[in-house]
Amino acid sequence: MMNKFLYTIAVASMTIGAYAQKSDGSTKSLVKAEKEFATTLAKNGAKSAFASFSAENGLVFRPNPVNAKTFYATGDDTKDLTWTPAYAKVSRSGDWGFTTGPFTLGGKETTYGQYLSVWKAVNGKWELVLDLGTTHNKPLNKVNEEFIEPKDSYKPKFLNDKERATGANIIATTEKTLNATLKSYGVSAFAGFLNSDARVLFPGYEPIIGKDKAIAFLHSMMSKVALKTTNVDKADGGDLAYTYGIATVDYKADLRESFNYVFVYERQADFNWNLIALVFTPAER
């Protein structure tokens, strides 16, 4: 009888977890999954939360990219990490989305920062596929929430791995073009690749939001940037994609530093791909 009771409790817990991560293709469902992820961590700890919410091949940047499940299964546990999404967007295919917002890590000293997470819907359930963050001083700016629902719904009925690879190659080519332009024209090259609402997450700074502010910030900090792309992934809906890799930054102060970067791209009406999120975190060599 006791074994049956314990089994019932276990199944109920699994069902609640799956329901919390349920995807209906909306940004609302992704935000709900993100918030439930944070609640689960506060209640059960990081090991349990990342084990439940991460995809099998999900990556966390700590500071370099490692498998999320492996990292948290073997690392120290914590319940002192809190966060909340401030901006979220989901692909028109409903299977791919990202969130970003502020986080706080407690302990002896409180750490403040910004995170960006990419999620995929697998068998109707949101799973974390990529997560990284930057740190800064205690925030001064008010957080404005913006959760953008897909404009329409579109998911190809027949899409094989070869076609997905072809789609990803378009993003890889776009980033190669960006890198070549950066090499020729310096940081000014970003101007031709940024969306009007682009946001930059950079260590030591609160989010820089808006194309003009982003360009001004990048200009004030950097003289050159070189990108080495590690991987590319594109939503089946063909409207969102991300890349990650290593960015070598030459500062204006005659200093060079390597960063892990994640860029989120969005396809425009003219079929060009613009950057809507740029995240830089120090790389460990």
Side-chain angles (χ1 to χ4, degrees), residues 31-90:
V31 170
K32 183 179 179 181
E34 180 81 78
K35 290 182 176 179
E36 185 61 29
F37 181 26
T39 300
T40 302
L41 189 146
K43 183 179 179 181
N44 302 325
K47 287 187 178 183
S48 175
F50 276 90
S52 299
F53 284 79
S54 298
E56 289 301 321
N57 61 347
L59 296 177
V60 291
F61 288 68
R62 303 291 188 270
N64 293 345
V66 293
N67 181 274
K69 289 182 181 290
T70 302
F71 178 83
Y72 281 98
T74 57
D76 295 334
D77 205 1
T78 182
K79 293 182 180 180
D80 293 331
L81 179 62
T82 61
W83 71 96
T84 184
Y87 182 93
K89 197 167 216 176
V90 166

Side-chain angles (χ1 to χ4, degrees), residues 184-265:
S184 298
Y185 299 100
V187 180
S188 300
F190 277 115
F193 291 82
L194 290 181
N195 223 30
S196 60
D197 60 347
R199 57 188 59 217
V200 177
L201 303 186
F202 196 86
Y205 295 86
E206 292 182 58
I208 299 100
I209 302 173
K211 179 176 180 177
D212 292 342
K213 289 181 179 179
I215 292 171
F217 171 78
L218 295 168
H219 261 299
S220 70
M221 295 283 293
M222 311 169 184
S223 59
K224 295 179 181 178
V225 179
L227 306 173
K228 185 177 181 181
T229 309
T230 300
N231 200 15
V232 178
D233 188 71
K234 181 168 169 275
D236 285 350
D239 54 341
L240 293 173
Y242 76 80
T243 62
Y244 70 85
I246 295 290
T248 303
V249 172
D250 287 351
Y251 293 105
K252 290 193 171 180
D254 196 26
L255 176 69
R256 174 173 288 180
E257 190 173 4
S258 292
F259 291 87
N260 290 301
Y261 75 86
V262 171
F263 289 170
V264 180
Y265 290 84

Side-chain angles (χ1 to χ4, degrees), residues 52-238:
S52 299
F53 284 79
S54 298
E56 289 301 321
N57 61 347
L59 296 177
V60 291
F61 288 68
R62 303 291 188 270
N64 293 345
V66 293
N67 181 274
K69 289 182 181 290
T70 302
F71 178 83
Y72 281 98
T74 57
D76 295 334
D77 205 1
T78 182
K79 293 182 180 180
D80 293 331
L81 179 62
T82 61
W83 71 96
T84 184
Y87 182 93
K89 197 167 216 176
V90 166
S91 166
R92 61 202 292 242
S93 50
D95 62 340
W96 197 108
F98 74 98
T99 60
T100 183
F103 75 83
T104 304
L105 179 62
K108 292 181 180 179
E109 292 185 7
T110 302
T111 300
Y112 301 94
Q114 302 289 324
Y115 77 90
L116 183 138
S117 296
V118 177
W119 296 76
K120 278 189 176 182
V122 180
N123 297 323
K125 185 180 79 168
W126 285 113
E127 293 186 352
L128 182 71
V129 296
L130 188 148
D131 177 76
L132 78 168
T134 62
T135 60
H136 54 67
N137 291 331
K138 188 173 182 178
L140 300 174
N141 297 324
K142 181 183 177 183
V143 175
N144 295 313
E145 291 186 351
E146 188 177 7
F147 305 138
I148 302 174
E149 295 291 348
K151 293 180 180 178
D152 58 10
S153 179
Y154 170 74
K155 189 170 185 177
K157 290 184 178 179
F158 306 104
L159 190 65
N160 56 41
D161 290 342
K162 184 178 179 180
E163 289 170 324
R164 285 190 175 95
T166 299
N169 191 52
I170 293 171
I171 310 304
T173 301
T174 299
E175 192 148 287
K176 284 180 182 178
T177 303
L178 169 60
N179 192 40
T181 312
L182 285 166
K183 187 175 182 180
S184 298
Y185 299 100
V187 180
S188 300
F190 277 115
F193 291 82
L194 290 181
N195 223 30
S196 60
D197 60 347
R199 57 188 59 217
V200 177
L201 303 186
F202 196 86
Y205 295 86
E206 292 182 58
I208 299 100
I209 302 173
K211 179 176 180 177
D212 292 342
K213 289 181 179 179
I215 292 171
F217 171 78
L218 295 168
H219 261 299
S220 70
M221 295 283 293
M222 311 169 184
S223 59
K224 295 179 181 178
V225 179
L227 306 173
K228 185 177 181 181
T229 309
T230 300
N231 200 15
V232 178
D233 188 71
K234 181 168 169 275
D236 285 350

